[in-house]
């Protein structure tokens, strides 16, 4: 389900005093939705099974697993004008496995994005919270904070962009946990894709081919005859 709520533009009268309702683009627009769904094949999902064979740990897969996921969210966007907008989204992420083994994970999720435009320049920034999720391999993974900023300038066919991601995270790590009667571990793994980084790029668009101008002839439809005369 979802919805969008804001007053419409217009003039109303309260106790003899005219009151102007602001345009929707000048107000905080609230969007909300809630969903719960099953992916195809979730009722016959292979899940990891651990056992011992001659003193050795064996990992196999059982195809009788079931998976459910529920992700209610609410988002709001504030656009006070054409040059600035701010969007925030928050929700709850929950997924659960059953059939082969009972396993679930849940966490609060949030994301914020801001954009500012001035002339030929545009600045964008974002930030997302960590997420905890369980997998069919029965491993629960926790990610890290993710944030960054980009700026770009464009004029005509030329575009230049620069940005950086996670400037304060030199050695980001993801954690993962597995807990079964036969085997358990806690792992901290370096994530090179999430480390601090910066970039700059430029692009120039070249127009190829011959340009053709199409002109619609002026047709005089005012004459009384059934024949149209072109001027």
């Amino acid at each position: 389900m979802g919805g969008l709520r804001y007053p419409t533009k217009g003039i109303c009268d309260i106790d003899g005093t005219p009151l102007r309702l602001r345009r929707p683009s000048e107000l905080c627009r609230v969007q909300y939705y809630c969903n719960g769904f099953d992916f195809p094949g979730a009722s016959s999902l292979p899940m990891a099974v651990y056992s011992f064979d001659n003193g050795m740990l064996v990992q196999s897969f059982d195809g009788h697993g079931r998976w459910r996921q529920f992700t209610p969210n609410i988002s709001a966007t504030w656009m006070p004008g054409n040059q600035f907008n701010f969007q925030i989204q928050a929700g709850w992420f929950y997924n659960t496995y059953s059939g082969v083994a009972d396993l679930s994970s849940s966490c609060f999720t949030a994301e914020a994005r801001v954009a500012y435009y001035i002339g030929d320049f545009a600045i964008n920034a974002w930030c997302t919270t960590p997420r905890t999720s369980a997998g069919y391999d029965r491993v629960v993974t926790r990610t890290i904070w993710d944030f960054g900023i980009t700026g770009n300038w464009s004029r005509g066919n030329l575009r230049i962009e620069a940005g950086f991601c996670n400037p304060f995270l030199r050695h980001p790590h993801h954690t993962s946990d597995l807990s079964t009667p036969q085997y358990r571990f806690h792992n901290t793994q370096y994530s090179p894709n999430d480390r601090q980084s910066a970039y700059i790029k430029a692009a120039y668009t070249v127009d190829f081919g011959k340009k053709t101008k199409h002109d619609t002839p002026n047709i005089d439809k005012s004459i009384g005859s059934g024949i149209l005369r072109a001027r």
Side-chain angles (χ1 to χ4, degrees):
M1 61 180 178
L4 182 63
R5 307 301 176 100
Y6 49 76
T8 58
K9 180 181 179 182
I11 302 293
C12 60
D13 185 88
I14 300 179
D15 295 332
T17 303
L19 175 65
R20 177 181 177 270
L21 298 181
R22 303 178 67 186
R23 298 192 305 271
S25 61
E26 299 173 330
L27 300 175
C28 180
R29 301 191 300 179
V30 178
Q31 296 176 319
Y32 57 91
Y33 62 92
C34 176
N35 59 62
F37 53 87
D38 299 330
F39 278 171
S43 296
S44 56
L45 184 73
M47 290 187 64
V49 177
Y50 297 91
S51 60
F52 288 99
D53 184 11
N54 296 326
M56 299 184 63
L57 181 67
V58 178
Q59 182 192 51
S60 57
F61 289 87
D62 189 329
H64 295 87
R66 293 189 298 273
W67 175 52
R68 301 292 181 267
Q69 180 170 294
F70 184 59
T71 55
N73 285 269
I74 185 171
S75 63
T77 303
W78 180 44
M79 297 184 295
N82 296 327
Q83 293 182 317
F84 178 82
N85 68 77
F86 175 74
Q87 180 181 15
I88 186 170
Q89 176 177 300
W92 188 258
F93 177 81
Y94 175 79
N95 67 340
T96 178
Y97 295 83
S98 60
V100 177
D102 294 330
L103 177 66
S104 65
S105 66
S106 62
C107 66
F108 169 79
T109 62
E111 179 180 3
R113 292 183 176 272
V114 61
Y116 182 72
Y117 308 94
I118 177 171
D120 298 326
F121 292 90
I123 300 176
N124 297 270
W126 74 91
C127 179
T128 58
T129 59
R131 170 170 292 198
T132 301
S133 61
Y136 65 91
D137 54 359
R138 300 169 67 176
V139 176
V140 178
T141 304
R142 297 172 180 83
T143 62
I144 63 171
W145 288 86
D146 183 32
F147 49 92
I149 186 172
T150 63
N152 63 74
W153 173 84
S154 61
R155 176 171 295 179
N157 294 350
L158 179 63
R159 175 185 174 90
I160 300 176
E161 180 177 332
F164 58 83
C165 300
N166 298 329
F168 309 111
L169 298 178
R170 297 185 60 184
H171 302 287
H173 293 84
H174 292 185
T175 61
S176 55
D177 293 272
L178 171 68
S179 180
T180 68
Q182 298 81 14
Y183 177 58
R184 65 182 57 191
F185 73 79
H186 173 77
N187 184 37
T188 300
Q189 184 176 1
Y190 171 62
S191 177
N193 294 333
D194 296 321
R195 66 181 178 181
Q196 58 182 191
S197 61
Y199 71 91
I200 182 172
K201 58 183 180 181
Y204 186 83
T205 304
V206 180
D207 297 328
F208 292 97
K210 182 180 180 180
K211 295 183 179 180
T212 302
K213 181 180 180 181
H214 298 276
D215 189 14
T216 302
N218 187 6
I219 306 297
D220 185 5
K221 300 181 181 180
S222 62
I223 60 177
S225 172
I227 300 176
L228 299 180
R229 182 176 58 191
R231 294 187 300 182

